[in-house]
Amino acid sequence: MSQREHAPQSVPVVAVVLAAGFGTRFDPDNPKQLVSVGGKPIVCWSIEAFDSNPRVSDVIVVVNPAVRDAVERLVDRAGYPKVRMIVDGGRERVDSTMAALDALAAAGIPADAKILIHDSVRPFVERESVDGCIDALDEFDAATVALASTDTILLTQDRDGREIVSRVPDRPHTFRAQTPQAFRFATIRRAYERAAVDPSFHPTDDTRVVVDYLPATPVAVVAGSESNLKITTLADMPLAERIAAARLGEPTAAATTAATAVPAVPSDMAKEEARARMHAMLAQAAAQLH
Ligand SMILES: Nc1ccn([C@@H]2O[C@H](COP(=O)(O)OP(=O)(O)OP(=O)(O)O)[C@@H](O)[C@H]2O)c(=O)n1
Ligand SMILES: C[C@](O)(CO)[C@H](O)COP(=O)(O)O
């Protein structure tokens, strides 16, 4: 189905942009969600990915005290028409999601609203992934963007301080979680209510909350992309700049590299060649830091 053929949504489609993190692995003195990539703050790229999508009805942004004023100014200046609330998050990512869910409940959001929860530090989420989540919720109560793993994944267990491989899942069934992660409001609310009474509750994403606390609820996988990068450390910045340049259509050498290296590998490309190209690109990105 083309973008123009998407059915109109009969329920609110609410994007929750999580920007309340402390960026300790990036630079705690320089909140990464405010850092500019391609001349635009990372949080703005993420807000725009949803604000500009005609199928998304509302956007809420979750912040911490260190970034609130700056995010408010950015939102005011840009005049994003769908940003309804800027709410305070919490200590961990799940606390920030919970704060957003509480704010949505207080606002009287219907149980069947579609909620798309997104890391603000994934600024280049593809339109197809966002639409894929919205569509998946017509069939499932939960869905997550994820990227098929090109590496073999090892599941391990601790044995006397040494990680020991306990299982090697079949690679076609292994994926790297990305965001957005999408849920009917009642589903994610119920999962969080159950999780909240568990003292050992420290998941790093919202899908895990549903998988662990509502095990009978299937979570559908929606195709992600290599460019839906999570900016975690400073080492991610050169690649982020390349992706931004490609998005902005800048005909630079860097953009040309990104345009050929970042999108999904064509199926007829030899796996080894694709891997070598990716390694070369990452090495080049790392070298630029020095
Ligand atoms: N208490 C928190 C923690 C994280 N996040 C958000 O969740 C996403 C997770 O990405 P991550 O790289 O883990 O961000 P930080 O938590 O900021 O990074 P770090 O773990 O290095 O401190 C980010 O958009 C971040 O702003 C949040 O809203 N509230
Ligand atoms: C939600 C997430 O981005 C999916 O890849 C990831 O789990 C966030 O984890 P982090 O520990 O906050 O980096």
Side-chain angles (χ1 to χ4, degrees), residues 18-26 32-33 62 90-93 96 119-121 230-232:
L18 294 175
F22 300 94
T24 45
R25 290 168 289 178
F26 184 91
K32 60 183 173 179
Q33 54 273 57
V62 186
R91 205 164 64 87
E92 294 183 25
R93 188 185 185 283
S96 296
D119 293 337
S120 64
V121 296
K230 181 158 81 70
I231 299 175
T232 303

Side-chain angles (χ1 to χ4, degrees), residues 53-102:
N53 185 320
R55 305 176 79 204
V56 172
S57 55
D58 310 277
V59 178
I60 77 171
V61 186
V62 186
V63 296
N64 63 35
V67 303
R68 174 175 270 282
D69 287 351
V71 170
E72 280 177 353
R73 273 197 304 274
L74 290 169
V75 168
D76 278 352
R77 202 176 307 149
Y80 299 118
K82 296 177 189 168
V83 174
R84 313 284 178 219
M85 289 189 262
I86 299 179
V87 306
D88 291 321
R91 205 164 64 87
E92 294 183 25
R93 188 185 185 283
V94 284
D95 301 318
S96 296
T97 296
M98 219 161 351
L101 298 178
D102 287 347

Side-chain angles (χ1 to χ4, degrees), residues 25 93 119 122 177-179 181 204-206 230 232:
R25 290 168 289 178
R93 188 185 185 283
D119 293 337
R122 289 188 187 273
Q178 298 188 336
T179 65
Q181 301 189 342
T204 55
D205 76 341
D206 304 298
K230 181 158 81 70
T232 303

